[in-house]
Amino acid sequence: MAARWGAPVVFFRDDDVTRMVPQLRVLVDLFLEVGVPCNFQVIPTMLTAEAADWLCARHARAPALLHFNQHGSSHERYGDDAMPFGEFGLGRSLEEQRALIRDGQERLRRALGEAFSPAVFSPPWHRYDATTVQALELEGVSLLTARLRTGAMARAFYRVGRALRAVELGGHVVSHHGHPIARTRVLELSPSIDVDEDFDRNGRRALHSADALRRAIYSQARHDRVVGINLHHFKQGGARGEVPSILRRLIMDLRRDGCEFRSLEDLVAELKA
């Protein structure tokens, strides 16, 4: 999706929803308070009944703001220690991957009912291959969301991979952010900015400020109209209460700028149109 003049379109994605923790409660209520959509990625086999009931109740208040999607199956590593971290791809067969996706969908439908949105899928550790995308298409998934790297070398790698219509090159995933993934109708939209995953020079987690996040969004918007923000509600910063205040300030600043906020489901509909 090529950049264009004007304010960017921003989406938020929160990963690894499993059980009720204070940080999840605060984050969900924050998005309800500010009136901005967020896509929450739920691990099917780890979602507790308590969390499911609470999320459904919150969803009923504002279904256009809270979107609950499938985050893999059990978020368990497949293979041995010599293999890269991942649950999908990594040589798993089409039928095996379809079965994992289908089982996860069924679990989330039972737990979340109409609050579950099966159109969007996120693979654990952002790992997948061409067989995964084929399996997603066969199971009715419209959009895959993983991770978009933004450095010059990554962009060059993606350009080559897209030109070759490849999903992977040399064991590395080729992002098709804003476009259908090679040889399929499955779209990809992936966040490029992580609120709480960067590190400082000493290897300690370095929580972004609202100003730093805003600058990163506009830097990314020079290349892509749609910019995604990734969250992990349970990590450092959320526990200290800093993430909600940073997000509230960021959203207020972006709203003043004229930025638009979308759910991934809304963006799928716009891209298909």
Side-chain angles (χ1 to χ4, degrees):
M1 182 177 292
R4 70 180 188 186
W5 184 86
V9 173
V10 175
F11 70 86
F12 291 92
R13 192 187 87 194
D14 178 62
D15 287 359
D16 301 339
V17 174
T18 57
R19 58 189 177 88
M20 283 306 304
V21 292
Q23 298 96 322
L24 178 61
R25 186 184 299 271
V26 169
L27 192 63
V28 168
D29 286 346
L30 168 67
F31 282 104
L32 289 176
E33 173 196 334
V34 298
V36 167
C38 182
N39 284 80
F40 293 86
Q41 307 306 296
V42 185
I43 303 174
T45 64
M46 298 178 68
L47 179 65
T48 66
E50 179 192 16
D53 290 345
W54 186 83
L55 292 172
C56 286
R58 285 297 195 269
H59 178 267
R61 295 184 181 182
L65 298 181
L66 304 180
H67 300 261
F68 305 121
N69 312 122
Q70 182 180 0
H71 189 34
S73 175
S74 60
H75 211 299
E76 293 181 353
R77 181 176 179 176
Y78 170 72
D80 57 34
D81 291 341
M83 299 178 72
F85 275 92
E87 185 176 29
F88 286 81
L90 303 172
R92 302 189 93 160
S93 71
L94 175 63
E95 286 308 315
E96 188 177 11
Q97 296 194 59
R98 286 190 70 180
L100 289 171
I101 295 163
R102 192 182 307 119
D103 177 72
Q105 290 176 338
E106 292 171 355
R107 288 174 182 269
L108 293 177
R109 284 193 181 98
R110 288 196 299 269
L112 297 171
E114 293 183 359
F116 169 53
S117 173
V120 176
F121 179 93
S122 56
W125 298 289
H126 315 121
R127 187 75 198 176
Y128 60 95
D129 61 9
T131 303
T132 311
V133 185
Q134 183 184 1
L136 292 171
E137 186 168 32
L138 290 170
E139 296 304 325
V141 175
S142 301
L143 183 137
L144 180 147
T145 178
R147 181 177 182 179
L148 174 67
R149 298 185 183 276
T150 58
M153 291 183 64
R155 290 190 176 282
F157 171 76
Y158 294 155
R159 284 195 296 271
V160 172
R162 292 169 185 167
L164 295 173
R165 302 183 68 194
V167 176
E168 278 189 299
L169 282 178
H172 298 283
V173 170
V174 175
S175 175
H176 290 72
H177 179 71
H179 302 277
I181 298 173
R183 308 176 193 276
T184 74
R185 292 173 295 178
V186 177
L187 297 163
E188 182 198 340
L189 284 169
S190 295
S192 56
I193 299 167
D194 203 311
V195 171
D196 53 5
E197 286 251 306
D198 283 349
F199 294 84
D200 64 17
R201 294 176 183 176
N202 299 313
R204 296 172 300 203
R205 290 195 183 280
L207 193 68
H208 288 292
S209 68
D211 288 338
L213 287 167
R214 183 172 173 271
R215 288 193 298 271
I217 289 167
Y218 278 94
S219 176
Q220 175 66 15
R222 291 181 299 174
H223 305 279
D224 301 289
R225 175 175 173 251
V226 176
V227 181
I229 311 294
N230 197 196
L231 306 163
H232 292 81
H233 57 270
F234 55 87
K235 288 190 175 178
Q236 178 182 340
R240 297 198 305 268
E242 292 175 284
V243 164
S245 61
I246 289 170
L247 288 177
R248 186 178 285 105
R249 162 78 184 281
L250 173 67
I251 289 167
M252 290 174 60
D253 289 345
L254 293 175
R255 188 169 269 155
R256 280 195 294 268
D257 292 342
C259 289
E260 301 174 22
F261 302 98
R262 294 281 195 280
S263 70
L264 287 170
E265 287 80 3
D266 288 341
L267 289 168
V268 168
E270 291 178 18
L271 286 169
K272 286 186 173 181

